[in-house]
Amino acid sequence: MQITQEFDFFVIGGGSGGLAAAKQAASQGAKVGLADFVKPSPLGTKWGLGGTCVNVGCIPKKLMHFAALAGELRKDQVEAGWINTDMQGKHDWNRMTENVRNHIKKLNFQYKNQLNNQEVKYYNKLAELEKSNIVKLVDKDGGVEFIKSKFILIAVGGRPSYPEDIPEIEKKVITSDDLFWLPNNPGKTLIVGASYVALECGGFLNGLGYDSSIMVRSILLRGFDQQIAGKIEDYMVESGVKFINEAIPINIEVIENNRRLVTWKQKGVQHSDTFDTVLIATGRKSDTSKLNLERVGVKTNKNGKIICTIDDRTSVSNIYAIGDCVEGRPELTPTAIKCGQLLANRLFGGQKKMMCYQFIPTTVFTPLEYGCIGYSEEEAINKFTQNEIIIYHSIFKPLEWNLLESHYAQACMIKLIVMASTRRVIGLHYLGPNAGEVVQGYAVAMKLGATKEQFDATIGIHPTCSEEILTLTAVKGIDNPQKEGC
Ligand code: FAD
Ligand code: NDP
């Protein structure tokens, strides 16, 4: 075996975590290489450098979510005096996707440039571990080379997983790996799953005007505050999304005109309907099966996720792993990025700082967005007792919604979970417009250990939705959450 290059640090995977780690290591003076190779989806969709977030995740999702909200705003525009707003105008899928793709391609190009500028050697090749310090790289034509590296970082992320019992399902459905790159609009769509991906995609497809049904196996948004999950469902139903609850698909057949005949079981009863598209959003599995991990001794759990210590080290001492492919880590872009940067600083910058997983904020970009930090009500009650926590709550109507009578007045909610003894805020939940923008800053306060009194002492910005978080007085179980007046 001939070694073509030697590195201090070699990164497998050019997504959120891998790119951040490679760039940071290079900035600390390390000799760095990075391999990124996109295996096409079962339907043949492929994309460029940047990983899930850039190509088939956060970025196209947020742009399409925005496109849907922009369409819904037409109703508000009429009541705001823009009387000529054309409510009959149909959404142009091709125009939207062309603009989304152009933006993604710009990002792909920028990432390549950044690697080049920082002298990170980029390989558009599929990597696997040959030995603990040797990586085999295979290009799209089957050409092979081997590189050697002192440290290796695995940041291969994940790919969508499919329900197991439906024959040849991968050829009959799409996943989020295909949705954002579809050449034609998806038409009437069935979305299977009930978490982040299913609710976000179902929400924006409905907002864009495509008939959308979401098939829920058990509950919405497992692990999130369930009262708020219920309110998200109510809002989506109000907006036109259909929910098929307590149901699982049992068969999918391709019928005439390339439509899908889907049969499902709901509470023991069989039903069927036809759809133009079936979108499977039933979770993701780590993309580690072809890396040869077992041969070099990198341990994984039964789902193929790599087992790491808190300093991101695998069971092989010079091999590290970060991001979605690691057991127990949040599957979020900012955590993968931060983990990668901190690891590079520890390996090459003489620093000791570890990743902190406490109070990581997140937002579900459903039509009405849901942002949260820390404990859900259920988790808090489980961990402490009901007496040890106080929950402040509020149901409010954003000022801007008052021009349009049909806005759903009970939709928006805030919940603060507070430790009774210390008054520290340990959970913050906001369901309302611009949740990502609203909750981000509160994560700083919560990381610094802010108390309810410090929230109360902070002056709000009026009139905003965010100020509602600073003026909560109603206690759950005692006071009515419905907010009156301003
Ligand atoms: P990835 O970004 O997945 O990158 C891994 C890279 O490794 C890929 O490019 C892959 O092709 C490559 N690779 C795999 N195997 C090999 C190999 N053997 N050789 C070479 N290259 C290889 N997170 C948020 O924070 N906010 C959001 O709004 C959000 N929205 C999302 C929406 C969707 C639809 C999805 C699916 C995810 C979303 N996420 C979001 C999650 C986020 O995209 C991931 O957490 C993040 O991309 C993980 O980064 P990563 O570096 O671990 O892996
Ligand atoms: P999740 O693992 O979060 O959820 C999977 C969903 O699919 C659950 O509702 C689950 O139901 C359901 N499900 C699983 N198997 C089946 C089955 N066989 N039949 C029917 N339903 C099934 O996956 P997602 O793909 O939604 O998200 C993956 C990760 O990506 C998230 O955890 C998140 O970290 C990240 N992400 C982040 C986003 C953001 O930050 N805004 C957006 C999108 C993704 P049940 O509860 O019954 O198990």
Side-chain angles (χ1 to χ4, degrees):
M1 168 200 325
Q2 200 194 337
I3 303 292
T4 53
Q5 284 272 357
E6 291 203 22
F7 295 99
D8 300 318
F9 190 51
F10 193 82
V11 180
I12 305 178
S16 310
L19 284 170
K23 289 187 282 180
Q24 190 69 13
S27 76
Q28 305 278 12
K31 187 176 178 198
V32 184
L34 178 144
D36 186 69
F37 189 89
V38 178
K39 293 171 287 257
S41 77
L43 297 185
T45 314
K46 49 186 188 205
W47 49 89
L49 179 63
T52 303
C53 174
V54 170
N55 296 285
V56 286
C58 333
I59 301 299
K61 179 278 305 289
K62 182 83 187 285
L63 291 173
M64 293 192 185
H65 168 64
F66 171 76
L69 292 183
E72 280 163 20
L73 265 180
R74 289 177 303 173
K75 294 181 203 143
D76 297 77
Q77 286 172 4
V78 172
E79 297 309 322
W82 298 100
I83 46 171
N84 291 328
T85 303
D86 174 14
M87 297 303 297
Q88 304 312 316
K90 277 219 158 156
H91 177 255
D92 183 343
W93 176 266
N94 292 345
R95 184 159 189 172
M96 175 186 71
T97 47
E98 190 187 331
N99 288 327
V100 170
R101 275 173 212 179
N102 286 341
H103 180 64
I104 293 173
K105 283 177 185 158
K106 263 188 229 154
L107 295 176
N108 298 146
F109 179 73
Q110 282 169 10
Y111 283 124
K112 258 190 218 163
N113 263 351
Q114 286 169 5
L115 293 181
N116 199 26
N117 292 342
Q118 293 196 251
E119 294 180 12
V120 174
K121 171 97 176 121
Y122 165 55
Y123 296 86
N124 183 203
K125 299 186 179 190
L126 189 67
E128 66 178 72
L129 294 170
E130 187 65 20
K131 290 188 179 169
S132 64
N133 60 351
I134 295 180
V135 178
K136 179 179 173 186
L137 298 169
V138 184
D139 67 25
K140 64 176 185 346
D141 303 317
V144 175
E145 69 174 296
F146 295 90
I147 62 89
K148 195 168 182 182
S149 185
K150 184 173 177 201
F151 298 109
I152 291 170
L153 174 64
I154 305 171
V156 293
R159 296 298 288 262
S161 59
Y162 298 79
E164 280 165 9
D165 307 331
I166 299 169
E168 300 199 302
I169 184 167
E170 297 182 11
K171 293 184 191 147
K172 300 172 183 166
V173 300
I174 64 164
T175 67
S176 54
D177 279 359
D178 306 295
L179 176 66
F180 307 110
W181 297 84
L182 284 183
N184 299 310
N185 79 60
K188 179 183 172 186
T189 305
L190 172 69
I191 300 111
V192 182
S195 193
Y196 275 101
V197 174
L199 297 178
E200 290 183 344
C201 295
F204 76 66
L205 287 177
N206 175 69
L208 296 174
Y210 306 109
D211 185 310
S212 305
S213 303
I214 300 185
M215 187 172 285
V216 182
R217 173 169 74 176
S218 55
I219 56 170
L220 267 66
L221 290 173
R222 182 177 299 287
F224 286 89
D225 196 284
Q226 283 302 299
Q227 186 184 9
I228 296 204
K231 290 184 77 63
I232 290 175
E233 180 174 0
D234 292 346
Y235 187 85
M236 288 178 74
V237 168
E238 196 74 20
S239 322
V241 178
K242 293 167 216 132
F243 280 87
I244 309 173
N245 287 312
E246 293 180 54
I248 45 164
I250 53 174
N251 195 35
I252 301 171
E253 220 178 292
V254 181
I255 55 169
E256 66 276 9
N257 299 325
N258 207 23
R259 302 198 87 222
R260 275 40 181 170
L261 173 64
V262 182
T263 309
W264 67 88
K265 237 187 193 161
Q266 188 177 29
K267 298 173 194 165
V269 182
Q270 207 159 299
H271 304 264
S272 61
D273 196 0
T274 54
F275 299 88
D276 297 305
T277 304
V278 179
L279 169 67
I280 294 291
T282 52
R284 297 172 61 79
K285 58 177 190 310
S286 61
D287 195 8
T288 54
S289 63
K290 304 259 167 59
L291 286 174
N292 246 340
L293 297 181
E294 219 168 280
R295 195 163 82 194
V296 297
V298 173
K299 291 209 171 93
T300 58
N301 68 13
K302 64 177 175 14
N303 299 321
K305 288 222 172 195
I306 298 172
I307 299 167
C308 281
T309 52
I310 186 68
D311 64 348
D312 308 310
R313 200 186 290 255
T314 69
S315 45
V316 176
S317 65
N318 70 312
I319 302 182
Y320 291 79
I322 57 167
D324 284 11
C325 63
V326 179
E327 180 185 57
R329 305 289 196 245
E331 293 179 12
L332 296 172
T333 281
T335 57
I337 291 175
K338 183 64 87 187
C339 244
Q341 291 168 335
L342 291 173
L343 173 65
N345 286 344
R346 291 197 301 274
L347 290 178
F348 303 105
Q351 298 184 22
K352 294 207 166 75
K353 201 167 188 316
M354 299 284 180
M355 178 73 186
C356 170
Y357 290 97
Q358 217 189 6
F359 297 124
I360 289 174
T362 184
T363 288
V364 189
F365 294 97
T366 32
L368 191 58
E369 297 176 8
Y370 168 35
C372 62
I373 312 165
Y375 288 90
S376 67
E377 182 173 345
E378 291 81 3
E379 279 170 344
I381 290 171
N382 231 345
K383 167 117 190 199
F384 310 102
T385 61
Q386 192 105 41
N387 296 335
E388 285 176 291
I389 55 169
I390 300 170
I391 298 168
Y392 293 90
H393 60 173
S394 163
I395 289 175
F396 68 101
K397 185 172 175 185
L399 172 68
E400 294 80 355
W401 286 14
N402 287 296
L403 293 181
L404 179 62
E405 208 42 55
S406 64
H407 267 304
Y408 179 38
Q410 309 291 316
C412 301
M413 175 163 219
I414 292 166
K415 224 188 230 189
L416 272 193
I417 302 174
V418 175
M419 288 303 294
S421 55
T422 60
R423 303 287 292 160
R424 185 169 182 185
V425 178
I426 59 164
L428 183 153
H429 303 266
Y430 167 93
L431 176 67
N434 305 308
E437 313 296 342
V438 169
V439 305
Q440 179 69 85
Y442 289 101
V444 180
M446 287 176 66
K447 273 191 93 66
L448 291 173
T451 61
K452 175 71 168 76
E453 280 61 37
Q454 287 166 328
F455 272 55
D456 295 345
T458 303
I459 303 297
I461 297 170
H462 190 67
T464 63
C465 293
S466 188
E467 71 176 322
E468 304 289 337
I469 296 174
L470 302 171
T471 56
L472 295 171
T473 51
V475 172
K476 191 167 181 190
I478 302 173
D479 304 308
N480 182 350
Q482 188 67 53
K483 184 161 177 200
E484 307 279 336
C486 121

